[in-house]
Amino acid sequence: MKNKQTISAWGFIMSVLGAAVGLGGIWGFPTKMNQYGGTFLIPFFIALIICAVPILLIEMNLGNKYRKNHVMIFEELANKPGKFFGFLQSAVVWLMGIFYSVLVAWSLLALIMGFLPGLTQKDYFLDVIIGQTNPNPTSFSQLGNISIWVLLSLIGVWVLTGVIVLGGVTKGVDKANKIFVPGLFLIIFAMMIYTLTLDGAGDGLKRMFSFHGSVLAKTNIWTDAFGQAFFMLSTCVGAIIIFSSHAPKNQDNTNKTLIITAGTTIIALITSCIVFATISAIAKNQNVGIDEVFKPGPTLIFQVFPQIFAIIGQGTALLVFSHILAIFFFLSVFFAGISSLIAMLEGVVNPLETEWKIKRYKIIIGIIVLSILVDIVFIFNNSAALIDGLAIWVAGIWQMIIGIFELIGVMWLWKCYPEIAQHNNETSWFKWNKYIFRILCLVVIPIIIAVNLGFAIYQLILNIEANMFIFLTVGTTIGAFVTLAVTFIFTYYQEIKSHSQKLKARITKQPLKEAEEIETIE
């Protein structure tokens, strides 16, 4: 089935940047930079350039060549196993959207906070909005109560995302990202210029780019780097293939890959500069160490930035300015989050619409209702830590597993490499030859990813030993078992539906047959 509508080259770049930039760079990257310093950049760029970028380029060519979504492409290449593989990506991106939507809901609440006096109160977001009392729960009984404000914000976020996705890639996603993504870049650049002028900002940048060679010997820095690289580029979740299927067919996918990679990396680095300049200024103002200000975790940016806005607003004349600055910053965070959530929802809705033959709006409503129900686990007072338990699977382990199988499938098993290479070579300055690029993608990259996958599983085991509730009871149950269950349902829906109809028919016919036999005897 050919896609009749296409988006412009500019619209394609904005859509893919919207999917890729997201909160991975704004939320996740600064946390990793604080944990490892500038040392993190070494494994990150290795993972990005050697592994994530080639997969991104392959996915762009897959979508651009076949003009279909990822499920249809993989089913065409590998029949039922390919269909399962495609829907595995949809299941992963759906569960990624589960925790992601909570972060976007937080950003919406933080945006609203910009209009309220509570902005200038320390830990207002944690203490009042979320009501956190235990940052490391070990059982469901320790989660507290559902935060009504987060629930309302979450519903608003999903409704807005659903309305945009209802318009499809060409009418909804394309138009929304042409507003959200440029707005995000402008606000982030303005924030960087301002924060670098703060007293003490230089000390923060020194902390950010500090180098500690011994850290490279630890497995967790490599695991985090690969997870960050795959997550930031939105590879192995179907969204890139879907957007590429709507892009101009003669576009140079190599150039687009480099633009997307550069754009996401620049945003991540700029945001990290903003965060470190900010926390250093806060530390100097409060005469404390940076570690006392920087509290890594899902709520990082919602803890740090209200403090700097409070410092800016200490003078009466600057109070209004501090609130305006807060509004613009959290508006950029919201833009980043909603643009990625749009891509995640599209990655589920698009293949279900074509495979299940159900109207788009019905699928969107069903997915949103189900998502909100699952999201409830993550909106209790003390649920923030649970996000890490789910993220280690859907934004790490699964993406690496999918990446390995995708590379081996495209380069060898599915026998599609020649025609995909031909499509790339006809439109791109970077030519895929018969040996070097193919061997790199078939052997070298899968081995590198597999080694880091082993590191990730080892790190998961250590995390489970540290907190079984977060990383096993919640994280692994939802991240591993629910993912596979959802994949199975997505893949075999038609068969399940057919069998259930046959079973229903047998049940309804059986009493009639028995009645007929009784009448004959009489």
Side-chain angles (χ1 to χ4, degrees), residues 57-58 60-67 244 247-253 416-428 430-432:
L57 178 58
I58 289 170
M60 282 192 180
N61 276 286
L62 278 171
N64 211 224
K65 162 67 178 175
Y66 293 107
R67 318 299 288 174
S244 298
K249 193 169 184 178
N250 61 347
Q251 73 173 9
D252 187 336
N253 287 304
C416 60
Y417 178 80
E419 59 183 14
I420 297 175
Q422 181 182 357
H423 174 77
N424 174 84
N425 295 344
E426 288 174 352
T427 58
S428 174
F430 176 70
K431 308 301 181 183
W432 297 7

Side-chain angles (χ1 to χ4, degrees), residues 254-266:
T254 302
N255 285 342
K256 299 301 184 293
T257 297
L258 295 177
I259 291 172
I260 302 306
T261 304
T264 53
T265 306
I266 289 170

Side-chain angles (χ1 to χ4, degrees), residues 177-205:
N177 281 320
K178 284 180 179 178
I179 299 173
F180 289 152
V181 177
L184 167 65
F185 273 82
L186 288 174
I187 295 171
I188 288 293
F189 273 110
M191 284 292 298
M192 180 191 68
I193 293 171
Y194 176 78
T195 53
L196 291 180
T197 64
L198 296 173
D199 188 22
D203 294 333
L205 295 182

Side-chain angles (χ1 to χ4, degrees), residues 501-517:
Q501 288 175 342
K502 290 179 180 178
L503 181 61
K504 183 179 179 181
R506 289 177 183 176
I507 293 173
T508 54
K509 288 179 180 180
Q510 188 64 32
L512 292 174
K513 186 177 181 181
E514 291 177 354
E516 289 173 356
E517 290 176 354

